[in-house]
Amino acid sequence: GEALAARGLPVRVVNAGVSGDTTAGGVARLDWLLTQKPAILVVALGANDGLRAQPLGAIEETLREIVLRARASGVPVLLAGMRMPPNYGPEYTRDFEAIYPRLAAELSVPLLPFLLEGVAADPKLNQPDGIHPTAEGQERTAALVTPALEKLVREVAAR
């Protein structure tokens, strides 16, 4: 919110994320979230599904459902892509990553290609678990998200 306010867009940001959340958890909370009447929904889910090696088709279908239900409620969506660590194998990691641009194209929603670009796999920017960003890593992630979110906020404000 602070980065957008600095760009002349004072917004209230509500973090509806839950640590360890899956796409199924996101769907389960979606009705509650939509009753809050958000102007925009940032969908940054799927990584925990992937880390649990969930079937890719199920991850994609659940993400699709979230986007479609949000849009049916009149809420524009920014989809944030995720990636898997290479130890999940080349096929799974490639096919997992491909879900996000495919859905963005199919559903005509803006895509942030990878939420943790420049942060993932950098030990200095992640906690000891190697997955969750430190405070500095979170700041870098926010700096990456801000331009894409600013564009969408300006589009919504112009309506």
Side-chain angles (χ1 to χ4, degrees):
E2 292 174 15
L4 289 172
R7 294 170 184 236
L9 295 168
V11 297
R12 183 172 67 99
V13 176
V14 176
N15 180 357
V18 173
S19 181
D21 204 10
T22 62
T23 56
V27 165
R29 288 193 325 283
L30 190 58
D31 285 340
W32 168 84
L33 182 61
L34 293 174
T35 65
Q36 309 302 305
K37 305 279 189 234
I40 294 169
L41 178 64
V42 178
V43 177
L45 289 169
N48 289 313
D49 300 68
L51 292 172
R52 294 177 178 137
Q54 295 297 311
L56 297 171
I59 298 169
E60 183 169 353
E61 188 51 41
T62 309
L63 287 169
R64 181 181 290 107
E65 180 181 351
I66 291 169
V67 173
L68 290 174
R69 284 176 53 191
R71 280 212 321 226
S73 295
V75 180
V77 172
L78 171 63
L79 182 61
M82 302 288 174
R83 293 184 186 154
M84 286 294 97
N87 60 310
Y88 280 73
E91 279 184 40
Y92 191 84
T93 55
R94 179 195 65 225
D95 294 348
F96 177 89
E97 185 177 341
I99 290 170
Y100 298 89
R102 183 169 51 247
L103 277 177
E106 172 194 327
L107 303 174
S108 299
V109 295
L111 173 69
L112 180 66
F114 179 38
L115 180 66
L116 298 174
E117 187 68 53
V119 174
D122 184 337
K124 297 185 305 278
L125 298 176
N126 286 277
Q127 296 177 32
D129 65 9
I131 296 172
H132 296 94
T134 60
E136 184 183 352
Q138 290 175 16
E139 287 176 19
R140 290 210 189 170
T141 300
L144 181 68
V145 172
T146 298
L149 192 51
E150 177 184 9
K151 183 173 189 271
L152 194 51
V153 168
R154 290 193 187 282
E155 288 172 10
V156 168
R159 291 181 187 160

